[in-house]
Amino acid sequence: MSDEREITIRESSNATPRVKTPPKSSAIPVPFSYNPSDDGTDENLLILLHGLGDTQIPFGKLGRQLRLPQTATLALRAPEKIPFLYEEAYQWYTSFDPLGELLEHPNPTPAIELLTKIVDHLVRGCGWTPQRIHFFGFAQGGSVAAEFALKFWRSELSQQQKSLPSPSNPTAGEYAPRSFASVVSVSGPLLSFPTLQEPCPTPLLIFHRPSPAESAVRTSSISELKKGFTKVEEVKMKGEDGRVVRSDDRNGSSMKHSLDWQECILHPFDCIK
């Protein structure tokens, strides 16, 4: 008997256009690869963030190959080129000190500010709602996706607080905070300790190899994710060949082989039972 499960995508309750306006290069200050949904209905948007030393090109190809139902994909290139390298290799934030050693406590602010600008364009200019935007990030890209989801939720809570009735405005209507649809991170922990008055409701799925693998995520890092997000699933993942999903699989074959991405991205917790 087949163990395949049917994927059901709920209909949108928002009055958003069936086909979204493609993002404009004038509004996104980094190279990107955008693919509308194959079936002509742009209901969900999957934003793909590459890892340290990579570009958007393999992830743009992956987005086309996934053919997720009713889902457009947007692969972004990181803003900073890694210094002293001849090849096209990029980083989401400054990752090395002057001696070429990895920074122990990097500052992801440039990447967060970039994503803030991009998502604002996607929502205001292209017709997407945050509740329909999913993130998939590899390693450094996964860390950026998780950090950005928390930052976005924090700003939404702040806006809700400002909307509460006050003596000067007793009839103010309370603002309903929004959150992203999901975050999938491959070996990408948080870079900062989350401090939120209310955890982020965005479901987060963290994949990594078990210890002592170099890409293993520490137990303390999983605990930090659970302090920041209300729904966190951890998967210690190995393929048949014992490898974690590789960012340098240019054809995306190991990604498609290792997991049913359609379920994991659109229904992050249905795929782990």
Side-chain angles (χ1 to χ4, degrees):
M1 182 175 179
S2 174
D3 60 355
E4 293 184 357
R5 294 191 291 274
E6 181 180 355
I7 301 169
T8 302
I9 300 180
R10 56 192 172 89
E11 296 183 0
S12 174
S13 59
N14 300 310
T16 59
R18 179 178 178 184
V19 177
K20 303 297 191 295
T21 302
K24 297 179 179 179
S25 57
S26 60
I28 297 182
V30 294
F32 63 88
S33 175
Y34 177 75
N35 300 294
S37 174
D38 277 351
D39 54 26
T41 301
D42 298 330
E43 187 71 14
N44 307 280
L45 176 63
L46 173 62
I47 298 179
L48 300 115
L49 308 178
H50 64 78
L52 177 64
D54 211 338
T55 72
Q56 83 286 2
I57 295 174
F59 284 81
K61 294 178 180 178
L62 174 65
R64 289 194 298 272
Q65 293 172 343
L66 285 174
R67 298 181 181 275
L68 297 173
Q70 300 185 1
T71 302
T73 62
L74 175 65
L76 300 169
R77 198 205 70 190
E80 300 181 20
K81 189 172 183 181
I82 298 177
F84 311 119
L85 294 181
Y86 292 106
E87 65 264 29
E88 292 294 297
Y90 291 84
Q91 56 189 356
W92 290 100
Y93 44 81
T94 301
S95 306
F96 301 95
D97 65 19
L99 299 178
E101 298 292 330
L102 278 171
L103 294 175
E104 186 175 352
H105 300 291
N107 179 9
T109 300
I112 302 303
E113 292 177 346
L114 172 67
L115 288 179
T116 299
K117 182 175 182 178
I118 292 173
V119 167
D120 183 70
H121 169 60
L122 294 172
V123 172
R124 296 175 184 271
C126 302
W128 294 101
T129 61
Q131 299 90 330
R132 292 294 182 175
I133 297 178
H134 302 254
F135 287 87
F136 169 82
F138 183 86
Q140 191 178 93
S143 294
V144 169
E147 289 283 351
F148 178 60
L150 291 183
K151 184 268 179 187
F152 183 84
W153 177 243
R154 189 179 293 111
S155 66
E156 289 289 298
L157 290 179
S158 176
Q159 191 165 343
Q160 180 191 43
Q161 186 66 30
K162 292 176 182 177
S163 72
L164 296 176
S166 63
S168 61
N169 190 9
T171 60
E174 183 175 344
Y175 176 79
R178 305 165 299 172
S179 61
F180 293 122
S182 71
V183 173
V184 175
S185 174
V186 178
S187 303
L190 287 172
L191 301 172
S192 61
F193 189 82
T195 54
L196 293 163
Q197 63 186 66
E198 181 181 337
C200 177
T202 298
L204 183 139
L205 195 60
I206 175 77
F207 295 121
H208 68 99
R209 292 192 68 178
S211 298
E214 185 178 350
S215 59
V217 176
R218 295 176 301 175
T219 301
S220 60
S221 296
I222 300 297
S223 298
E224 290 171 358
L225 285 169
K226 291 181 177 180
K227 289 182 182 296
F229 295 87
T230 58
K231 301 175 183 178
V232 175
E233 284 287 350
E234 176 188 12
V235 177
K236 296 178 181 179
M237 187 180 67
K238 286 198 299 183
E240 293 179 358
D241 56 2
R243 295 186 305 138
V244 74
V245 174
R246 290 287 301 275
S247 175
D248 59 358
D249 268 318
R250 300 296 171 174
N251 59 7
S253 59
S254 71
M255 290 186 178
K256 297 177 74 174
H257 173 72
S258 299
L259 289 168
D260 183 346
W261 290 106
Q262 296 184 7
E263 291 197 35
C264 288
I265 292 171
L266 297 178
H267 300 273
F269 302 116
D270 291 346
C271 66
I272 319 170
K273 292 182 177 179

